[in-house]
Amino acid sequence: MKICLMNHFSDKMHPQLQSQGYEVVSENQCDLASSEIEAILLRSKNLHNLSLPKGLLAVARAGAGVNNIPVERMSEQGIAVFNAPGANANAVAEMVLTAILMQVRHVEPALEFTGRLDSHSENLAQQVESEKSQFQGRELQGLKLGIIGLGAIGVLLANKAVALGMKVFGFDPHISVENAWRLSSEVIHKSSLTALLNDCEALSIHVPYMEATHHLLNQEKLALLPAGSFVLNFSRDEVVDRQAVLSALEKEQLSAYITDFPESALLQHDKVMCFPHIGASTKEAQENASTQVIHSLDAFLKRGEIRYSVNLPELPAGEIPNGCSRLLVIHQNRVGMIAQITDCIEEAEENIIEMNNRSREALAVTLIDLQSDKNQELLSEVERLEAVLSVRYC
């Protein structure tokens, strides 16, 4: 199988994939018109305007967001899309804590002050002593931190903040059972966004960007925060209404806005701290994300197992039994599809050893172990079914 690597990856990536039996080509060696490319592994490369290989089975992004991937188009073609949720969670959580400390201890203006000092001045010590009071801050102990979104990043941030003595409030109506178990019992659950906002001195938002979260923090929501609070956005730029933030800063409703998404309207504002999108930029996070998507990709290509897909259902799968073949069918989630597939198998006089079917919204996946070798005629018959998007032997 041939995998195309887009964007830069660590030197470990090629040998790791090659050791698993894959042929690896880089982007400048990759002919996307070739039907030989079966998987694409990328970071930030934009696929929206590219023609993709006809034989493409999967796209995997070494990161959490998939805005650079045309997921809907992939789904229509039965192409699996994988990401690496949680791989960069620790890196982002640590960056948010860094930003909180910088804000409450006035680190940025303090550094600017010392940067302007004359190192040759005879009165240097006296000047420092006379001016340092303007940078008096507060400690993290007791700071009221609100967190919107208790996914992998939100949970880690909440737990770290609790350990540092902060009073932490959390809101997430869709928190998973796994994340609920991982969340510290000291985190105070809020049943509504309004209740959360009313209690915050600092607010950090950690939700994916989608239609429902566009401008989640708008003028109305920001007005619910106590005067003088500050907001941190290391999630996505569009989840916060930038103009509403600027207005709240001018009215002193907010004391500061800290974001990982610099924009021209924010860069020159003295109450805005912008980072150059470095929340997940650690060697550890990048290697974790790469390792995670390689495992997901390998399990899917070789066994039909689906983990961490953004468009297909989770589907566990063990090793293919000796002497058997495994058929993977990605199809529209319609009534009667399993019957149509099994009719094809019956007509081919094949015997089913085990079958698993899972669905996710408009798509479904059927995984079937057959007591026979791979049968190309059966493959062709299943492929002809109207609602089948893709079918292959693993």
Side-chain angles (χ1 to χ4, degrees):
M1 289 186 175
K2 186 179 287 189
I3 294 179
C4 179
L5 290 187
M6 295 184 169
N7 304 118
H8 174 72
F9 286 89
S10 74
D11 295 337
K12 299 177 183 179
M13 184 67 77
H14 276 73
Q16 183 175 351
L17 286 168
Q18 288 168 346
S19 69
Q20 293 173 308
Y22 298 104
E23 180 183 351
V24 184
V25 294
S26 58
E27 183 179 355
N28 57 3
Q29 302 170 319
C30 180
D31 178 11
L32 289 180
S34 170
S35 60
E36 295 180 1
I37 302 295
E38 294 182 288
I40 292 174
L41 189 57
L42 51 76
R43 292 193 192 280
S44 58
K45 178 72 176 183
N46 192 332
L47 298 185
H48 283 275
N49 298 318
L50 295 181
S51 296
L52 299 176
K54 292 182 180 179
L56 188 65
L57 302 175
V59 174
R61 182 174 187 272
V66 289
N67 292 1
N68 56 322
I69 301 172
V71 177
E72 186 174 348
R73 177 154 60 106
M74 303 288 98
S75 298
E76 290 171 355
Q77 298 176 39
I79 299 170
V81 179
F82 298 95
N83 67 344
N88 62 5
N90 190 67
V92 177
E94 287 185 357
M95 194 67 216
V96 173
L97 289 174
T98 300
I100 293 173
L101 271 169
M102 290 182 69
Q103 174 62 25
V104 299
R105 296 302 300 270
H106 308 300
V107 171
E108 188 177 27
L111 289 174
E112 290 175 355
F113 168 73
T114 55
R116 295 192 301 267
L117 291 173
D118 181 0
S119 60
H120 302 292
S121 172
E122 295 181 359
N123 300 320
L124 180 60
Q126 182 180 351
Q127 187 177 359
V128 169
E129 286 300 314
S130 63
E131 297 288 341
K132 71 177 185 180
S133 61
Q134 64 180 298
F135 306 115
Q136 185 181 55
R138 64 157 297 171
E139 297 179 9
L140 294 182
Q141 186 81 23
L143 178 73
K144 296 178 181 178
L145 173 65
I147 300 174
I148 302 175
L150 295 170
I153 296 171
V155 167
L156 268 178
L157 174 61
N159 292 348
K160 291 175 185 292
V162 165
L164 289 168
M166 286 184 254
K167 189 173 184 180
V168 182
F169 305 95
F171 171 73
D172 188 338
H174 307 294
I175 186 171
S176 69
V177 173
E178 180 183 358
N179 283 330
W181 275 107
R182 292 169 51 218
L183 187 65
S184 168
S185 61
E186 294 185 46
V187 175
I188 301 168
H189 171 256
K190 292 291 185 177
S191 59
S192 71
L193 185 54
T194 298
L196 177 82
L197 296 174
N198 286 333
D199 281 337
C200 297
E201 294 175 282
L203 176 68
S204 191
I205 184 166
H206 299 281
V207 297
Y209 179 67
M210 58 185 73
E211 186 177 351
T213 59
H214 179 75
H215 288 181
L216 180 63
L217 284 185
N218 52 27
Q219 184 175 358
E220 178 186 359
K221 295 294 190 299
L222 290 170
L224 298 175
L225 289 165
S229 56
F230 61 94
V231 171
L232 304 107
N233 179 14
F234 284 76
S235 178
R236 287 289 182 270
D237 180 37
E238 298 89 347
V239 301
V240 176
D241 183 340
R242 195 181 312 126
Q243 292 305 315
V245 163
L246 291 171
S247 176
L249 290 170
E250 293 304 315
K251 296 175 182 176
E252 299 186 348
Q253 174 68 29
L254 290 181
S255 62
Y257 179 58
I258 306 170
T259 182
D260 208 19
F261 309 100
E263 292 288 343
S264 56
L266 303 174
L267 289 173
Q268 302 304 317
H269 202 291
D270 60 357
K271 294 181 181 178
V272 176
M273 191 188 307
C274 289
F275 293 95
H277 203 186
I278 59 172
S281 293
T282 66
K283 291 180 180 179
E284 295 88 349
Q286 292 192 357
E287 292 209 357
N288 289 343
S290 298
T291 300
Q292 185 170 315
V293 292
I294 285 176
H295 287 164
S296 297
L297 199 57
D298 186 57
F300 175 71
L301 295 175
K302 291 179 179 175
R303 302 195 304 274
E305 181 170 313
I306 302 173
R307 295 178 296 179
Y308 303 119
S309 173
V310 301
N311 64 336
L312 297 180
E314 292 282 312
L315 183 62
E319 297 296 328
I320 301 173
N322 290 333
C324 294
S325 60
R326 177 170 289 170
L327 193 66
L328 173 67
V329 188
I330 300 174
H331 53 88
Q332 295 172 3
N333 188 17
R334 292 187 186 178
V335 174
M337 279 307 302
I338 295 177
Q340 292 183 53
I341 295 168
T342 54
D343 283 347
C344 291
I345 294 171
E346 184 179 354
E347 289 174 12
E349 298 183 347
E350 301 275 9
N351 185 38
I352 296 175
I353 301 299
E354 186 175 349
M355 181 170 65
N356 200 345
N357 172 271
R358 298 283 178 90
S359 64
R360 178 174 179 176
E361 298 177 354
L363 294 181
V365 179
T366 301
L367 198 63
I368 307 169
D369 286 344
L370 300 169
Q371 196 175 26
S372 64
D373 293 329
K374 297 177 181 179
N375 183 334
Q376 293 303 316
E377 290 184 10
L378 170 60
L379 197 70
S380 298
E381 288 301 316
V382 175
E383 193 172 23
R384 290 191 188 100
L385 296 176
E386 181 183 353
V388 168
L389 304 174
S390 71
V391 57
R392 66 180 175 92
Y393 281 105
C394 298

